[in-house]
Amino acid sequence: MNQKIVLAVIAIIPATLTALAGYSQGQKSSDSNKSLAELDSKKISLQASQNPNFKQLVYPNYGIMLNVPANWTAEDSPARLAGGEFNLVSRYEETKGSIGMNFRLRPVQPNYINDLPAQVENQRVTLEKNFGAVKVEDTTISGVQGKLFTYESATGKRKMLIKMYWVRVVPDVQLQILCAQYLDAADFNEFWMQATQAISSIVIAIDSWQARYKKDKGI
């Protein structure tokens, strides 16, 4: 009798785990669907920057959509599958490097959650120690206030101009967008025109982000 009970319990455990995994996946799918629905409802915000030479990319796990040049390469498998960082590549260098944009979601340190100025100042000081002069500006992406850090970085014998955007999607999660191009590149101006256009086309599903944040915090 005891053996039958043990066997029954062993059979129940995998089924329970499967059910829990299915429930968790269902929750993620539900969140993604809500994010996608919000992004779809905001598509009108993209109309100004749409043109035949650009393509639209949508990332429900990130809660963002944007337009990029049609000939750019999206290295985005992690972001599509689970929400990891992704790269949008304008071109590849002969040295195997790439020119383009990097998107990632980063946690905000607890001591900076309610003190954005201190976080910005800490980042500015850190960048200046490593790269020299840094320009910090206010910016807005999809109606959300953020910061833009501009500085130069030496890479061997060449220098890159780097623009790093920060946007808080919720108090403890930050969207960071890093754009980089060589100062002496023949396509320097073309790249920055396209990168700026891509940034201006971004739509953030901020309502979905807020809802997920409140659910996670039990608010």
Side-chain angles (χ1 to χ4, degrees):
M1 182 65 179
N2 289 338
Q3 184 178 7
K4 291 182 178 179
I5 293 174
V6 170
L7 290 174
V9 170
I10 291 175
I12 289 172
I13 290 175
T16 302
L17 292 176
T18 300
L20 289 173
Y23 174 77
S24 176
Q25 185 60 45
Q27 289 295 101
K28 290 181 180 179
S29 297
S30 176
D31 288 341
S32 293
N33 289 338
K34 290 177 182 177
S35 176
L36 185 59
E38 183 181 350
L39 291 172
D40 283 338
S41 71
K42 293 181 177 179
K43 275 186 178 180
I44 190 171
S45 301
L46 287 170
Q47 298 306 312
S49 61
Q50 285 183 342
N51 69 56
N53 299 318
F54 276 62
K55 60 186 175 183
Q56 186 178 92
L57 300 176
V58 182
Y59 300 97
N61 292 322
Y62 258 70
I64 70 171
M65 64 163 45
L66 75 161
N67 289 339
V68 299
N71 62 343
W72 282 27
T73 301
E75 300 176 343
D76 59 2
S77 295
R80 292 192 179 282
L81 293 173
E85 67 179 272
F86 64 96
N87 301 318
L88 301 178
V89 181
S90 170
R91 63 177 171 80
Y92 294 95
E93 290 276 297
E94 293 180 358
T95 56
K96 307 302 182 183
S98 60
I99 301 301
M101 307 169 69
N102 171 266
F103 291 69
R104 65 177 65 180
L105 294 171
R106 304 189 63 186
V108 177
Q109 288 182 210
N111 54 303
Y112 290 140
I113 289 177
N114 296 312
D115 196 351
L116 179 59
Q119 183 192 19
V120 171
E121 179 61 13
N122 180 68
Q123 182 66 82
R124 184 191 66 78
V125 171
T126 301
L127 290 173
E128 286 192 342
K129 286 181 178 179
N130 289 281
F131 304 105
V134 177
K135 182 179 181 181
V136 183
E137 304 172 83
D138 292 328
T139 189
T140 302
I141 296 179
S142 188
V144 182
Q145 296 298 312
K147 292 292 180 179
L148 169 60
F149 301 83
T150 304
Y151 57 99
E152 295 180 5
S153 174
T155 58
K157 295 181 180 180
R158 304 175 71 186
K159 277 191 173 183
M160 300 191 87
L161 177 64
I162 298 175
K163 294 187 179 183
M164 181 171 66
Y165 295 83
W166 276 8
V167 174
R168 291 269 189 97
V169 290
V170 291
D172 56 6
V173 178
Q174 183 168 285
L175 171 64
Q176 176 180 292
I177 306 170
L178 198 69
C179 311
Q181 168 65 299
Y182 286 110
L183 289 169
D184 61 357
D187 59 347
F188 179 86
N189 291 327
E190 179 185 8
F191 170 80
W192 286 114
M193 180 181 68
Q194 293 176 332
T196 300
Q197 193 166 354
I199 291 291
S200 67
S201 76
I202 292 175
V203 169
I204 301 175
I206 199 68
D207 294 341
S208 296
W209 265 107
Q210 294 290 339
R212 287 157 63 184
Y213 174 77
K214 291 178 180 179
K215 182 172 68 175
D216 181 64
K217 301 299 181 183
I219 299 175

